[in-house]
């Protein structure tokens, strides 16, 4: 019942040669003070829907990402 979602912030969104790159910061705490991981999601728009191309981990810490929900 319900779900959970990671504590995260969108850092940027940009177009790189037709590929949309969304950079997200994930946090180890709910106050968004301790970073856990920074990730780039590369997606291509195909027939009006985004298709994942690749994911790049830019930064990784020893801390697990916190989650909202149950």
């Amino acid at each position: 019942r319900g779900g959970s979602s990671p504590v995260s912030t969108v850092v940027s969104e940009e177009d790189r040669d037709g590929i949309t790159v969304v950079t997200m910061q994930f946090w180890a705490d709910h106050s968004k003070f301790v970073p856990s991981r920074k990730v780039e999601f590369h997606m291509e728009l195909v027939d009006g829907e985004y298709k994942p191309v690749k994911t790049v981990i830019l930064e990784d810490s020893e801390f697990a990402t916190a989650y909202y929900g149950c």
Side-chain angles (χ1 to χ4, degrees):
R1 307 191 183 116
S4 61
S5 57
V7 179
S8 61
T9 305
V10 176
V11 175
S12 66
E13 179 184 333
E14 61 183 289
D15 183 60
R16 297 184 193 164
D17 299 323
I19 300 296
T20 299
V21 179
V22 178
T23 304
M24 294 190 67
Q25 177 68 60
F26 293 90
W27 302 96
D29 64 322
H30 293 95
S31 63
K32 299 180 181 177
F33 185 72
V34 179
S36 63
R37 181 176 279 181
K38 187 183 282 186
V39 180
E40 283 183 343
F41 297 96
H42 296 241
M43 299 169 285
E44 182 178 19
L45 188 59
V46 177
D47 297 327
E49 295 188 24
Y50 284 99
K51 171 188 162 190
V53 175
K54 67 178 178 177
T55 302
V56 179
I57 298 172
L58 301 174
E59 298 172 9
D60 200 5
S61 75
E62 63 185 275
F63 304 109
T65 299
Y67 283 83
Y68 292 115
C70 344

